[in-house]
Amino acid sequence: MREREGQFRRYQLRRKSSTSPWVSLTWRMLLAVGLIGVALAVHWFDRDGLRQSSGAPITFPDVLYFTMITITTVGYGDIVPVTTEARLFDALVVTPIRIFVWLIFLGSAYDFLFKRVGEQWRMNVIQRNLDGHVVVAGYGTSGAEAVTELVSRGAKPETIVVIDDSPAALQAAEACGTTVMAGNATRNAALEAARIDRARALIVAAGRDDTSILIVLTARRLAPNVPISVVIRSGDNEAIAYQAGANTVINPASFAGLLLAGSTHGAHIAEYMADLAADDGRVGLNERLVTADEVGKPLAEIRTGLGHRIYRGGRMFCFWEPEAKQLEAGDTIIEVVPREGVRAVP
């Protein structure tokens, strides 16, 4: 238990604040100085309404002293207002200024002390109760694109946890509204602090194949059932990534080559493949479990889209194979569906 508490203290989540505390502090200090300046100016121009207990004439340092003492306390009685105008000004203007200045100072203390402690406590609670989130290990080009695509598909940024050891990458991820954590995702402690065992999915985009595969190995040991997708740059390492425990291995170069090769066999093949992959296309791929009313029917008769494949008992069957002629309970269907808001062409 103590070891896990130490991990949480070492690997802390954070999210971008809506306003910078330094901007807030600057505005508050300017407001406080402005209010004090108003009181100081009026006291100086009405210095004839002030008297010292010693009987000495009122000088500017005396006015400055009297103004500051009156705003921060109720005064010491060595300098007092003696005219009606001076007393009314102190009662009706200086007293509200005193209250406002104290509120400004208390608000600043709240922002820089109590709010920070409260925010840290809130993030600790969030960290302990993470569930159903997506962990993104590495916020380079691929990781950033994955986060953007997740958000465009409806995921809330705060449900995405980005792990990276680069301050610049974390700052960019935090600017997108995601929850970030500084750390090395190859370490057990970092993934445990991100609650990998409760995550909905893990996306690995470390930028180096050896690092990505090590992250997959570490995550698979900690979370045997979490779906893991990994970006692999070299085709020779794809099989190793699968052996390490990845469910999906994506090679950007291979996919680009696939689109390029497809374009040579038809003017619209590459366009359609890109349409399926992009979130802003007219059609998209959807994976779901077979419903009760679909059991016993052929894949070709599903109503939600065009069925392409089914997965049954760890095996894959395409729409033309005999197994696809009759759906069974527990089948996973891969279908092409129209995007929301896309109107069919008449």
Side-chain angles (χ1 to χ4, degrees), residues 128-211:
R128 294 177 187 279
N129 296 298
L130 280 174
D131 191 27
H133 54 294
V134 177
V135 178
V136 178
Y139 198 77
T141 302
S142 299
E145 290 291 339
V147 169
T148 301
E149 190 71 16
L150 284 170
V151 174
S152 68
R153 291 173 183 263
K156 296 181 179 179
E158 59 268 22
T159 64
I160 302 172
V161 178
V162 174
I163 305 176
D164 205 300
D165 54 7
S166 167
L170 291 178
Q171 186 176 4
E174 194 175 10
C176 296
T178 64
T179 303
V180 302
M181 185 179 72
N184 186 345
T186 63
R187 303 293 181 87
N188 289 0
L191 291 178
E192 286 179 346
R195 294 298 194 184
I196 189 64
D197 56 325
R198 298 182 183 177
R200 178 166 62 89
L202 168 64
I203 296 174
V204 181
R208 289 172 51 102
D209 287 359
D210 53 351
T211 304

Side-chain angles (χ1 to χ4, degrees), residues 51-69:
R51 291 289 185 274
Q52 291 200 72
S53 58
S54 62
I58 298 294
T59 62
F60 182 78
D62 295 328
V63 172
L64 178 62
Y65 162 78
F66 174 74
T67 300
M68 298 304 298
I69 291 300

